Amino acid sequence: MQKTFRIVDEDGIHARPATALVNTATKFKETEAFAEAKGKKVTLKSILGVLSLGLEAGDTLTLITEGGEEAEALSALQDVMIKEGLGELHE
Amino acid sequence: MSKISGIAASAGIAVARAFILEHPDYTIAKTAVSDIEAEVAKLNDALAKSRVELQGIKERTLAELGEKKAEIFESHLLILDDPELISPVTDKIRQESVNADYALNEVASQFIAMFENMKSAYLQERAADMRDVTKRIMNHLLGIHYVSPAEINEEVIVIAQDLTPSDTAQLNRKFVKGFTTNIGGRTSHSAIMARSLEIPAVVGTKNVLSEVKAGDLVIVDGLSGDVLINPTEAEVAEYKAKQEAYDLQIAEWKKLRDEPTVSADGKHVELAANIGTPNDVNGVIENGGEGVGLYRTEFLYMGRDKLPSEEIQYNAYRTVLENMQGKPVVVRTLDIGGDKELPYLDLPKEMNPFLGFRAIRLCLDRQDIFRTQLRALLRASAHGDLRIMFPMIATLGEFRAARDLLLEEKAKLKEEGKEVSDNIQLGIMVEIPSTAVLADQFAKEVDFFSIGTNDLIQYTMAADRMNERVSYLYQPYNPAILRLVKIVIDAAHAEGKWTGMCGEMAGDATAIPLLLGLGLDEFSMSATSILPARSQIAKLSAQDMKELAAKALQLGTAEEVAALVESIAK
């Protein structure tokens, strides 16, 4: 499953929201979670991976979940994106 | 017991155990290991210890400083457990049969380089977090005992080579009773911080770091500049008595808090304070400041990853003006460059930064930055008695150019329907000798002067104030400096304008009688110097000081001037 977001936070994805994303992804032990942007795909369970995408305002980011509780995981991650004011759903 | 002398940088006396703040030196060599699994276990052990340590720091920070400050340690914990970091390190140990510290250093360096090369300034700074975490793991791997200043949790005296801005930002006033350093002077960053935190400090001792061991009992006498190592009980008692006497003196000064500053023969002068952030205003009020004589706006621009917006600046300026309740506030526009860098501006390194592209020179070139600040100031002017001054003015042309930009922005704001005061005084810093010499011409166009003595002395004497080998040339009492000060004050008075001074000299007990005699109108200093200065001025006759200053101007050396002032003190 996947969902694409557009980054709206003027600082891009910085440490606090990245921490929240990684913590959320890590909670779902049975589910693989990835972030894809600018032609790079990294595991969402690594803060260094997420920060290495170098996301800035205006970039698009796709969150991907596979296996286990993929639907629950994706919806929890979407909550973080919105609640932290990071991104908006990109149609 | 042994005693070392340094420069008294911040008044008061502190007695506590020594805490050595030293950044360890890592020498990492590649070695072949035979027992690979033992090496991996060593890494896991270092990670586990780092985890426990970070958890503790996080919880303590959360309890004492709040959620916001604790977040950083939460992300450090995640880095510590990051599979993208740990797997490559373990792989490297296993595949290349190398030592854990070498493998960690190799992998961490790649991440640090990756962050440093990122486009966003914010992400570039994450390299510092990566370094911090790597250091923590490395300390456990190499068996180095290191505690960062933020982790101090008992009463100590900090002993260091020097304190960097990031060190001082982490000092907790509750536990750090005083500090002493090998290098630095009264105007170095650490000394200024100590005075604003009101922590006793002695700097520039040259060798305190090698003389003191962790846990030694240390007395820091920020009044005399002495540091006592492992004092006897009698000495501890003597210093405690000295501390009490000092506290009594402070209590006497406090009585002058709500009094005006008047000399023995009835001349009124104004005592104002130098501040760096809106938080400093409290200290100004508590110490009876009659205004803010220098608001250094640089701090708004520092410790961030991009320029502060007009709104952020407006809020800061407005807060200061409102909290000063109608008392004058002199704001200095951005003085960046020289020794004060802003990483996100990406300015080229200069051979001679103090003589280079800084302050008003930069602002007139980068008008986008300057106009934003001017707009924020103009909008804030509706909330108090705002006075604006431009730093590092060398020519009348520079002043006119800066003034015209201000007037343009003012006109624009009025068109936009924003409220702007029509009574903003506009002045300049006098810190370049050319401006002091030509003060009579400037006085026709400005509303006031503020003499910045630190730079004026360094430019007049051609001596870098950060260079200890020429620090003897930092001579505030040199008759050459006094004559320049006189030229400026006289020029202002001839046009019915006023002159202030916002350098360290304005709060100096030896300089005050001379400055009073030269006719200085406003003295701006560290907030904690205000009450002692008020008490001193109340005992001086302005008329007698005028004669004293006239004599001083005819002397040949700084030492002769100091001796002359000394003679009247008795």
Side-chain angles (χ1 to χ4, degrees), chain A residues 10-11 14-16 23 43 46-48 51-52, chain B residues 71 74-75 78 82 84 114 118-119 122-123 306:
Chain A
E10 61 171 317
D11 283 331
H14 46 108
R16 194 198 59 232
N23 276 334
T43 163
S46 158
I47 189 163
L48 292 171
L51 291 175
S52 77
Chain B
E71 274 166 8
E74 173 73 34
S75 55
L78 275 186
D82 198 312
E84 299 284 320
M114 176 194 86
M118 281 193 168
K119 212 164 70 205
Y122 174 81
L123 287 167
K306 57 181 181 208

mmCIF file with all atom_site columns, all heavy atoms in Angstrom, chain A residues 10-11 14-16 23 43 46-48 51-52, chain B residues 71 74-75 78 82 84 114 118-119 122-123 306:
data_model
loop_
_atom_site.group_PDB
_atom_site.id
_atom_site.type_symbol
_atom_site.label_atom_id
_atom_site.label_alt_id
_atom_site.label_comp_id
_atom_site.label_asym_id
_atom_site.label_entity_id
_atom_site.label_seq_id
_atom_site.pdbx_PDB_ins_code
_atom_site.Cartn_x
_atom_site.Cartn_y
_atom_site.Cartn_z
_atom_site.occupancy
_atom_site.B_iso_or_equiv
_atom_site.pdbx_formal_charge
_atom_site.auth_seq_id
_atom_site.auth_comp_id
_atom_site.auth_asym_id
_atom_site.auth_atom_id
_atom_site.pdbx_PDB_model_num
ATOM 1   N N   . GLU A 1 10  ? 7.932  24.496 5.965  1.00 0.00 ? 10  GLU A N   1
ATOM 2   C CA  . GLU A 1 10  ? 8.962  25.277 5.264  1.00 0.00 ? 10  GLU A CA  1
ATOM 3   C C   . GLU A 1 10  ? 10.376 24.814 5.602  1.00 0.00 ? 10  GLU A C   1
ATOM 4   O O   . GLU A 1 10  ? 11.320 25.097 4.889  1.00 0.00 ? 10  GLU A O   1
ATOM 5   C CB  . GLU A 1 10  ? 8.797  26.792 5.509  1.00 0.00 ? 10  GLU A CB  1
ATOM 6   C CG  . GLU A 1 10  ? 8.910  27.198 6.964  1.00 0.00 ? 10  GLU A CG  1
ATOM 7   C CD  . GLU A 1 10  ? 8.954  28.719 7.130  1.00 0.00 ? 10  GLU A CD  1
ATOM 8   O OE1 . GLU A 1 10  ? 9.664  29.378 6.349  1.00 0.00 ? 10  GLU A OE1 1
ATOM 9   O OE2 . GLU A 1 10  ? 8.271  29.231 8.029  1.00 0.00 ? 10  GLU A OE2 1
ATOM 10  N N   . ASP A 1 11  ? 10.525 24.048 6.673  1.00 0.00 ? 11  ASP A N   1
ATOM 11  C CA  . ASP A 1 11  ? 11.841 23.513 7.001  1.00 0.00 ? 11  ASP A CA  1
ATOM 12  C C   . ASP A 1 11  ? 12.079 22.144 6.363  1.00 0.00 ? 11  ASP A C   1
ATOM 13  O O   . ASP A 1 11  ? 13.094 21.510 6.617  1.00 0.00 ? 11  ASP A O   1
ATOM 14  C CB  . ASP A 1 11  ? 11.995 23.375 8.523  1.00 0.00 ? 11  ASP A CB  1
ATOM 15  C CG  . ASP A 1 11  ? 12.271 24.720 9.179  1.00 0.00 ? 11  ASP A CG  1
ATOM 16  O OD1 . ASP A 1 11  ? 12.863 25.578 8.494  1.00 0.00 ? 11  ASP A OD1 1
ATOM 17  O OD2 . ASP A 1 11  ? 11.905 24.903 10.343 1.00 0.00 ? 11  ASP A OD2 1
ATOM 18  N N   . HIS A 1 14  ? 12.311 17.756 9.227  1.00 0.00 ? 14  HIS A N   1
ATOM 19  C CA  . HIS A 1 14  ? 13.429 17.909 10.145 1.00 0.00 ? 14  HIS A CA  1
ATOM 20  C C   . HIS A 1 14  ? 13.384 16.877 11.254 1.00 0.00 ? 14  HIS A C   1
ATOM 21  O O   . HIS A 1 14  ? 12.565 15.957 11.232 1.00 0.00 ? 14  HIS A O   1
ATOM 22  C CB  . HIS A 1 14  ? 13.548 19.351 10.648 1.00 0.00 ? 14  HIS A CB  1
ATOM 23  C CG  . HIS A 1 14  ? 12.271 19.952 11.089 1.00 0.00 ? 14  HIS A CG  1
ATOM 24  N ND1 . HIS A 1 14  ? 11.996 20.186 12.398 1.00 0.00 ? 14  HIS A ND1 1
ATOM 25  C CD2 . HIS A 1 14  ? 11.187 20.360 10.381 1.00 0.00 ? 14  HIS A CD2 1
ATOM 26  C CE1 . HIS A 1 14  ? 10.783 20.725 12.477 1.00 0.00 ? 14  HIS A CE1 1
ATOM 27  N NE2 . HIS A 1 14  ? 10.279 20.844 11.276 1.00 0.00 ? 14  HIS A NE2 1
ATOM 28  N N   . ALA A 1 15  ? 14.283 17.014 12.215 1.00 0.00 ? 15  ALA A N   1
ATOM 29  C CA  . ALA A 1 15  ? 14.534 15.916 13.139 1.00 0.00 ? 15  ALA A CA  1
ATOM 30  C C   . ALA A 1 15  ? 13.301 15.502 13.947 1.00 0.00 ? 15  ALA A C   1
ATOM 31  O O   . ALA A 1 15  ? 13.037 14.317 14.086 1.00 0.00 ? 15  ALA A O   1
ATOM 32  C CB  . ALA A 1 15  ? 15.691 16.273 14.059 1.00 0.00 ? 15  ALA A CB  1
ATOM 33  N N   . ARG A 1 16  ? 12.528 16.456 14.466 1.00 0.00 ? 16  ARG A N   1
ATOM 34  C CA  . ARG A 1 16  ? 11.421 16.056 15.327 1.00 0.00 ? 16  ARG A CA  1
ATOM 35  C C   . ARG A 1 16  ? 10.373 15.237 14.586 1.00 0.00 ? 16  ARG A C   1
ATOM 36  O O   . ARG A 1 16  ? 10.060 14.130 14.999 1.00 0.00 ? 16  ARG A O   1
ATOM 37  C CB  . ARG A 1 16  ? 10.776 17.272 15.993 1.00 0.00 ? 16  ARG A CB  1
ATOM 38  C CG  . ARG A 1 16  ? 9.863  16.872 17.151 1.00 0.00 ? 16  ARG A CG  1
ATOM 39  C CD  . ARG A 1 16  ? 8.899  17.974 17.540 1.00 0.00 ? 16  ARG A CD  1
ATOM 40  N NE  . ARG A 1 16  ? 8.059  18.339 16.436 1.00 0.00 ? 16  ARG A NE  1
ATOM 41  C CZ  . ARG A 1 16  ? 7.904  19.590 16.010 1.00 0.00 ? 16  ARG A CZ  1
ATOM 42  N NH1 . ARG A 1 16  ? 8.529  20.575 16.589 1.00 0.00 ? 16  ARG A NH1 1
ATOM 43  N NH2 . ARG A 1 16  ? 7.127  19.854 14.974 1.00 0.00 ? 16  ARG A NH2 1
ATOM 44  N N   . ASN A 1 23  ? 9.569  6.412  14.836 1.00 0.00 ? 23  ASN A N   1
ATOM 45  C CA  . ASN A 1 23  ? 8.979  5.757  16.007 1.00 0.00 ? 23  ASN A CA  1
ATOM 46  C C   . ASN A 1 23  ? 7.677  5.047  15.641 1.00 0.00 ? 23  ASN A C   1
ATOM 47  O O   . ASN A 1 23  ? 7.409  3.937  16.110 1.00 0.00 ? 23  ASN A O   1
ATOM 48  C CB  . ASN A 1 23  ? 8.717  6.779  17.122 1.00 0.00 ? 23  ASN A CB  1
ATOM 49  C CG  . ASN A 1 23  ? 9.965  7.022  17.955 1.00 0.00 ? 23  ASN A CG  1
ATOM 50  O OD1 . ASN A 1 23  ? 10.829 6.154  18.043 1.00 0.00 ? 23  ASN A OD1 1
ATOM 51  N ND2 . ASN A 1 23  ? 10.070 8.200  18.540 1.00 0.00 ? 23  ASN A ND2 1
ATOM 52  N N   . THR A 1 43  ? 14.388 2.694  4.138  1.00 0.00 ? 43  THR A N   1
ATOM 53  C CA  . THR A 1 43  ? 13.481 2.150  5.144  1.00 0.00 ? 43  THR A CA  1
ATOM 54  C C   . THR A 1 43  ? 13.040 3.273  6.078  1.00 0.00 ? 43  THR A C   1
ATOM 55  O O   . THR A 1 43  ? 13.828 4.143  6.455  1.00 0.00 ? 43  THR A O   1
ATOM 56  C CB  . THR A 1 43  ? 14.117 1.008  5.955  1.00 0.00 ? 43  THR A CB  1
ATOM 57  O OG1 . THR A 1 43  ? 13.328 0.823  7.137  1.00 0.00 ? 43  THR A OG1 1
ATOM 58  C CG2 . THR A 1 43  ? 15.545 1.328  6.352  1.00 0.00 ? 43  THR A CG2 1
ATOM 59  N N   . SER A 1 46  ? 14.597 3.915  9.809  1.00 0.00 ? 46  SER A N   1
ATOM 60  C CA  . SER A 1 46  ? 15.916 4.508  10.032 1.00 0.00 ? 46  SER A CA  1
ATOM 61  C C   . SER A 1 46  ? 15.826 6.029  9.934  1.00 0.00 ? 46  SER A C   1
ATOM 62  O O   . SER A 1 46  ? 15.459 6.576  8.903  1.00 0.00 ? 46  SER A O   1
ATOM 63  C CB  . SER A 1 46  ? 16.896 3.996  8.973  1.00 0.00 ? 46  SER A CB  1
ATOM 64  O OG  . SER A 1 46  ? 17.976 4.896  8.836  1.00 0.00 ? 46  SER A OG  1
ATOM 65  N N   . ILE A 1 47  ? 16.178 6.707  11.028 1.00 0.00 ? 47  ILE A N   1
ATOM 66  C CA  . ILE A 1 47  ? 16.119 8.171  10.997 1.00 0.00 ? 47  ILE A CA  1
ATOM 67  C C   . ILE A 1 47  ? 17.164 8.724  10.033 1.00 0.00 ? 47  ILE A C   1
ATOM 68  O O   . ILE A 1 47  ? 16.932 9.706  9.329  1.00 0.00 ? 47  ILE A O   1
ATOM 69  C CB  . ILE A 1 47  ? 16.265 8.781  12.409 1.00 0.00 ? 47  ILE A CB  1
ATOM 70  C CG1 . ILE A 1 47  ? 15.981 10.289 12.342 1.00 0.00 ? 47  ILE A CG1 1
ATOM 71  C CG2 . ILE A 1 47  ? 17.645 8.511  13.003 1.00 0.00 ? 47  ILE A CG2 1
ATOM 72  C CD1 . ILE A 1 47  ? 15.704 10.919 13.671 1.00 0.00 ? 47  ILE A CD1 1
ATOM 73  N N   . LEU A 1 48  ? 18.327 8.065  9.985  1.00 0.00 ? 48  LEU A N   1
ATOM 74  C CA  . LEU A 1 48  ? 19.367 8.529  9.061  1.00 0.00 ? 48  LEU A CA  1
ATOM 75  C C   . LEU A 1 48  ? 18.891 8.370  7.616  1.00 0.00 ? 48  LEU A C   1
ATOM 76  O O   . LEU A 1 48  ? 19.146 9.220  6.768  1.00 0.00 ? 48  LEU A O   1
ATOM 77  C CB  . LEU A 1 48  ? 20.663 7.760  9.293  1.00 0.00 ? 48  LEU A CB  1
ATOM 78  C CG  . LEU A 1 48  ? 21.334 8.058  10.634 1.00 0.00 ? 48  LEU A CG  1
ATOM 79  C CD1 . LEU A 1 48  ? 22.485 7.093  10.887 1.00 0.00 ? 48  LEU A CD1 1
ATOM 80  C CD2 . LEU A 1 48  ? 21.839 9.492  10.684 1.00 0.00 ? 48  LEU A CD2 1
ATOM 81  N N   . LEU A 1 51  ? 16.286 11.165 6.946  1.00 0.00 ? 51  LEU A N   1
ATOM 82  C CA  . LEU A 1 51  ? 16.949 12.470 6.796  1.00 0.00 ? 51  LEU A CA  1
ATOM 83  C C   . LEU A 1 51  ? 17.787 12.519 5.522  1.00 0.00 ? 51  LEU A C   1
ATOM 84  O O   . LEU A 1 51  ? 17.934 13.573 4.913  1.00 0.00 ? 51  LEU A O   1
ATOM 85  C CB  . LEU A 1 51  ? 17.819 12.766 8.022  1.00 0.00 ? 51  LEU A CB  1
ATOM 86  C CG  . LEU A 1 51  ? 17.063 13.048 9.332  1.00 0.00 ? 51  LEU A CG  1
ATOM 87  C CD1 . LEU A 1 51  ? 18.043 13.193 10.490 1.00 0.00 ? 51  LEU A CD1 1
ATOM 88  C CD2 . LEU A 1 51  ? 16.209 14.306 9.219  1.00 0.00 ? 51  LEU A CD2 1
ATOM 89  N N   . SER A 1 52  ? 18.320 11.342 5.104  1.00 0.00 ? 52  SER A N   1
ATOM 90  C CA  . SER A 1 52  ? 19.208 11.337 3.936  1.00 0.00 ? 52  SER A CA  1
ATOM 91  C C   . SER A 1 52  ? 18.457 11.682 2.657  1.00 0.00 ? 52  SER A C   1
ATOM 92  O O   . SER A 1 52  ? 19.072 11.997 1.652  1.00 0.00 ? 52  SER A O   1
ATOM 93  C CB  . SER A 1 52  ? 19.893 9.980  3.792  1.00 0.00 ? 52  SER A CB  1
ATOM 94  O OG  . SER A 1 52  ? 18.985 9.037  3.257  1.00 0.00 ? 52  SER A OG  1
ATOM 95  N N   . GLU B 2 71  ? 13.768 16.795 22.995 1.00 0.00 ? 71  GLU B N   1
ATOM 96  C CA  . GLU B 2 71  ? 13.563 16.163 21.690 1.00 0.00 ? 71  GLU B CA  1
ATOM 97  C C   . GLU B 2 71  ? 14.865 15.765 21.013 1.00 0.00 ? 71  GLU B C   1
ATOM 98  O O   . GLU B 2 71  ? 14.962 14.726 20.380 1.00 0.00 ? 71  GLU B O   1
ATOM 99  C CB  . GLU B 2 71  ? 12.815 17.135 20.765 1.00 0.00 ? 71  GLU B CB  1
ATOM 100 C CG  . GLU B 2 71  ? 11.328 17.070 20.916 1.00 0.00 ? 71  GLU B CG  1
ATOM 101 C CD  . GLU B 2 71  ? 10.650 18.251 20.273 1.00 0.00 ? 71  GLU B CD  1
ATOM 102 O OE1 . GLU B 2 71  ? 11.324 19.042 19.582 1.00 0.00 ? 71  GLU B OE1 1
ATOM 103 O OE2 . GLU B 2 71  ? 9.424  18.388 20.466 1.00 0.00 ? 71  GLU B OE2 1
ATOM 104 N N   . GLU B 2 74  ? 15.994 12.465 22.024 1.00 0.00 ? 74  GLU B N   1
ATOM 105 C CA  . GLU B 2 74  ? 15.141 11.420 21.455 1.00 0.00 ? 74  GLU B CA  1
ATOM 106 C C   . GLU B 2 74  ? 15.666 11.039 20.068 1.00 0.00 ? 74  GLU B C   1
ATOM 107 O O   . GLU B 2 74  ? 15.793 9.861  19.737 1.00 0.00 ? 74  GLU B O   1
ATOM 108 C CB  . GLU B 2 74  ? 13.698 11.944 21.376 1.00 0.00 ? 74  GLU B CB  1
ATOM 109 C CG  . GLU B 2 74  ? 12.707 11.053 20.661 1.00 0.00 ? 74  GLU B CG  1
ATOM 110 C CD  . GLU B 2 74  ? 12.335 9.821  21.467 1.00 0.00 ? 74  GLU B CD  1
ATOM 111 O OE1 . GLU B 2 74  ? 12.275 9.942  22.701 1.00 0.00 ? 74  GLU B OE1 1
ATOM 112 O OE2 . GLU B 2 74  ? 12.118 8.758  20.854 1.00 0.00 ? 74  GLU B OE2 1
ATOM 113 N N   . SER B 2 75  ? 16.031 12.039 19.269 1.00 0.00 ? 75  SER B N   1
ATOM 114 C CA  . SER B 2 75  ? 16.534 11.683 17.943 1.00 0.00 ? 75  SER B CA  1
ATOM 115 C C   . SER B 2 75  ? 17.940 11.076 18.039 1.00 0.00 ? 75  SER B C   1
ATOM 116 O O   . SER B 2 75  ? 18.300 10.218 17.248 1.00 0.00 ? 75  SER B O   1
ATOM 117 C CB  . SER B 2 75  ? 16.477 12.860 16.965 1.00 0.00 ? 75  SER B CB  1
ATOM 118 O OG  . SER B 2 75  ? 17.150 13.964 17.466 1.00 0.00 ? 75  SER B OG  1
ATOM 119 N N   . LEU B 2 78  ? 17.451 7.441  18.546 1.00 0.00 ? 78  LEU B N   1
ATOM 120 C CA  . LEU B 2 78  ? 17.081 6.745  17.314 1.00 0.00 ? 78  LEU B CA  1
ATOM 121 C C   . LEU B 2 78  ? 18.306 6.488  16.442 1.00 0.00 ? 78  LEU B C   1
ATOM 122 O O   . LEU B 2 78  ? 18.416 5.446  15.819 1.00 0.00 ? 78  LEU B O   1
ATOM 123 C CB  . LEU B 2 78  ? 16.058 7.572  16.530 1.00 0.00 ? 78  LEU B CB  1
ATOM 124 C CG  . LEU B 2 78  ? 14.598 7.406  16.914 1.00 0.00 ? 78  LEU B CG  1
ATOM 125 C CD1 . LEU B 2 78  ? 13.735 8.187  15.948 1.00 0.00 ? 78  LEU B CD1 1
ATOM 126 C CD2 . LEU B 2 78  ? 14.205 5.932  16.882 1.00 0.00 ? 78  LEU B CD2 1
ATOM 127 N N   . ASP B 2 82  ? 19.857 2.963  14.910 1.00 0.00 ? 82  ASP B N   1
ATOM 128 C CA  . ASP B 2 82  ? 19.512 2.986  13.489 1.00 0.00 ? 82  ASP B CA  1
ATOM 129 C C   . ASP B 2 82  ? 20.154 1.826  12.727 1.00 0.00 ? 82  ASP B C   1
ATOM 130 O O   . ASP B 2 82  ? 21.377 1.709  12.698 1.00 0.00 ? 82  ASP B O   1
ATOM 131 C CB  . ASP B 2 82  ? 19.957 4.330  12.890 1.00 0.00 ? 82  ASP B CB  1
ATOM 132 C CG  . ASP B 2 82  ? 19.265 4.601  11.577 1.00 0.00 ? 82  ASP B CG  1
ATOM 133 O OD1 . ASP B 2 82  ? 19.245 3.697  10.725 1.00 0.00 ? 82  ASP B OD1 1
ATOM 134 O OD2 . ASP B 2 82  ? 18.736 5.713  11.403 1.00 0.00 ? 82  ASP B OD2 1
ATOM 135 N N   . GLU B 2 84  ? 20.570 1.514  9.658  1.00 0.00 ? 84  GLU B N   1
ATOM 136 C CA  . GLU B 2 84  ? 21.419 2.014  8.567  1.00 0.00 ? 84  GLU B CA  1
ATOM 137 C C   . GLU B 2 84  ? 22.811 2.381  9.065  1.00 0.00 ? 84  GLU B C   1
ATOM 138 O O   . GLU B 2 84  ? 23.742 2.513  8.284  1.00 0.00 ? 84  GLU B O   1
ATOM 139 C CB  . GLU B 2 84  ? 20.785 3.252  7.921  1.00 0.00 ? 84  GLU B CB  1
ATOM 140 C CG  . GLU B 2 84  ? 19.427 3.025  7.309  1.00 0.00 ? 84  GLU B CG  1
ATOM 141 C CD  . GLU B 2 84  ? 19.499 2.281  5.979  1.00 0.00 ? 84  GLU B CD  1
ATOM 142 O OE1 . GLU B 2 84  ? 20.421 2.577  5.197  1.00 0.00 ? 84  GLU B OE1 1
ATOM 143 O OE2 . GLU B 2 84  ? 18.648 1.406  5.746  1.00 0.00 ? 84  GLU B OE2 1
ATOM 144 N N   . MET B 2 114 ? 27.640 13.166 4.183  1.00 0.00 ? 114 MET B N   1
ATOM 145 C CA  . MET B 2 114 ? 26.371 13.254 3.466  1.00 0.00 ? 114 MET B CA  1
ATOM 146 C C   . MET B 2 114 ? 25.554 14.470 3.948  1.00 0.00 ? 114 MET B C   1
ATOM 147 O O   . MET B 2 114 ? 25.062 15.256 3.142  1.00 0.00 ? 114 MET B O   1
ATOM 148 C CB  . MET B 2 114 ? 25.574 11.977 3.696  1.00 0.00 ? 114 MET B CB  1
ATOM 149 C CG  . MET B 2 114 ? 24.191 11.990 3.068  1.00 0.00 ? 114 MET B CG  1
ATOM 150 S SD  . MET B 2 114 ? 23.178 10.638 3.722  1.00 0.00 ? 114 MET B SD  1
ATOM 151 C CE  . MET B 2 114 ? 22.503 11.389 5.204  1.00 0.00 ? 114 MET B CE  1
ATOM 152 N N   . MET B 2 118 ? 24.404 18.441 2.099  1.00 0.00 ? 118 MET B N   1
ATOM 153 C CA  . MET B 2 118 ? 23.005 18.653 1.739  1.00 0.00 ? 118 MET B CA  1
ATOM 154 C C   . MET B 2 118 ? 22.722 20.110 1.433  1.00 0.00 ? 118 MET B C   1
ATOM 155 O O   . MET B 2 118 ? 23.401 21.001 1.921  1.00 0.00 ? 118 MET B O   1
ATOM 156 C CB  . MET B 2 118 ? 22.117 18.174 2.868  1.00 0.00 ? 118 MET B CB  1
ATOM 157 C CG  . MET B 2 118 ? 21.994 16.669 2.811  1.00 0.00 ? 118 MET B CG  1
ATOM 158 S SD  . MET B 2 118 ? 20.697 16.107 3.862  1.00 0.00 ? 118 MET B SD  1
ATOM 159 C CE  . MET B 2 118 ? 20.580 14.419 3.309  1.00 0.00 ? 118 MET B CE  1
ATOM 160 N N   . LYS B 2 119 ? 21.687 20.322 0.630  1.00 0.00 ? 119 LYS B N   1
ATOM 161 C CA  . LYS B 2 119 ? 21.366 21.666 0.183  1.00 0.00 ? 119 LYS B CA  1
ATOM 162 C C   . LYS B 2 119 ? 20.800 22.505 1.334  1.00 0.00 ? 119 LYS B C   1
ATOM 163 O O   . LYS B 2 119 ? 21.138 23.671 1.490  1.00 0.00 ? 119 LYS B O   1
ATOM 164 C CB  . LYS B 2 119 ? 20.354 21.581 -0.962 1.00 0.00 ? 119 LYS B CB  1
ATOM 165 C CG  . LYS B 2 119 ? 20.510 22.690 -1.986 1.00 0.00 ? 119 LYS B CG  1
ATOM 166 C CD  . LYS B 2 119 ? 19.770 22.352 -3.268 1.00 0.00 ? 119 LYS B CD  1
ATOM 167 C CE  . LYS B 2 119 ? 18.283 22.398 -3.031 1.00 0.00 ? 119 LYS B CE  1
ATOM 168 N NZ  . LYS B 2 119 ? 17.470 21.597 -3.930 1.00 0.00 ? 119 LYS B NZ  1
ATOM 169 N N   . TYR B 2 122 ? 19.519 23.451 7.323  1.00 0.00 ? 122 TYR B N   1
ATOM 170 C CA  . TYR B 2 122 ? 19.051 22.714 8.492  1.00 0.00 ? 122 TYR B CA  1
ATOM 171 C C   . TYR B 2 122 ? 19.635 21.309 8.507  1.00 0.00 ? 122 TYR B C   1
ATOM 172 O O   . TYR B 2 122 ? 20.153 20.851 9.521  1.00 0.00 ? 122 TYR B O   1
ATOM 173 C CB  . TYR B 2 122 ? 17.521 22.643 8.505  1.00 0.00 ? 122 TYR B CB  1
ATOM 174 C CG  . TYR B 2 122 ? 17.016 21.761 9.609  1.00 0.00 ? 122 TYR B CG  1
ATOM 175 C CD1 . TYR B 2 122 ? 16.912 22.256 10.905 1.00 0.00 ? 122 TYR B CD1 1
ATOM 176 C CD2 . TYR B 2 122 ? 16.736 20.422 9.375  1.00 0.00 ? 122 TYR B CD2 1
ATOM 177 C CE1 . TYR B 2 122 ? 16.512 21.433 11.937 1.00 0.00 ? 122 TYR B CE1 1
ATOM 178 C CE2 . TYR B 2 122 ? 16.332 19.597 10.402 1.00 0.00 ? 122 TYR B CE2 1
ATOM 179 C CZ  . TYR B 2 122 ? 16.220 20.108 11.681 1.00 0.00 ? 122 TYR B CZ  1
ATOM 180 O OH  . TYR B 2 122 ? 15.843 19.299 12.701 1.00 0.00 ? 122 TYR B OH  1
ATOM 181 N N   . LEU B 2 123 ? 19.563 20.637 7.358  1.00 0.00 ? 123 LEU B N   1
ATOM 182 C CA  . LEU B 2 123 ? 20.078 19.267 7.307  1.00 0.00 ? 123 LEU B CA  1
ATOM 183 C C   . LEU B 2 123 ? 21.604 19.246 7.424  1.00 0.00 ? 123 LEU B C   1
ATOM 184 O O   . LEU B 2 123 ? 22.174 18.322 7.984  1.00 0.00 ? 123 LEU B O   1
ATOM 185 C CB  . LEU B 2 123 ? 19.606 18.571 6.032  1.00 0.00 ? 123 LEU B CB  1
ATOM 186 C CG  . LEU B 2 123 ? 18.112 18.206 6.060  1.00 0.00 ? 123 LEU B CG  1
ATOM 187 C CD1 . LEU B 2 123 ? 17.604 17.825 4.687  1.00 0.00 ? 123 LEU B CD1 1
ATOM 188 C CD2 . LEU B 2 123 ? 17.842 17.071 7.054  1.00 0.00 ? 123 LEU B CD2 1
ATOM 189 N N   . LYS B 2 306 ? 18.394 29.865 9.083  1.00 0.00 ? 306 LYS B N   1
ATOM 190 C CA  . LYS B 2 306 ? 18.069 30.815 8.016  1.00 0.00 ? 306 LYS B CA  1
ATOM 191 C C   . LYS B 2 306 ? 17.783 32.172 8.653  1.00 0.00 ? 306 LYS B C   1
ATOM 192 O O   . LYS B 2 306 ? 17.668 32.273 9.880  1.00 0.00 ? 306 LYS B O   1
ATOM 193 C CB  . LYS B 2 306 ? 16.873 30.315 7.206  1.00 0.00 ? 306 LYS B CB  1
ATOM 194 C CG  . LYS B 2 306 ? 15.642 30.079 8.056  1.00 0.00 ? 306 LYS B CG  1
ATOM 195 C CD  . LYS B 2 306 ? 14.502 29.555 7.219  1.00 0.00 ? 306 LYS B CD  1
ATOM 196 C CE  . LYS B 2 306 ? 13.302 29.350 8.103  1.00 0.00 ? 306 LYS B CE  1
ATOM 197 N NZ  . LYS B 2 306 ? 12.381 28.351 7.696  1.00 0.00 ? 306 LYS B NZ  1
#
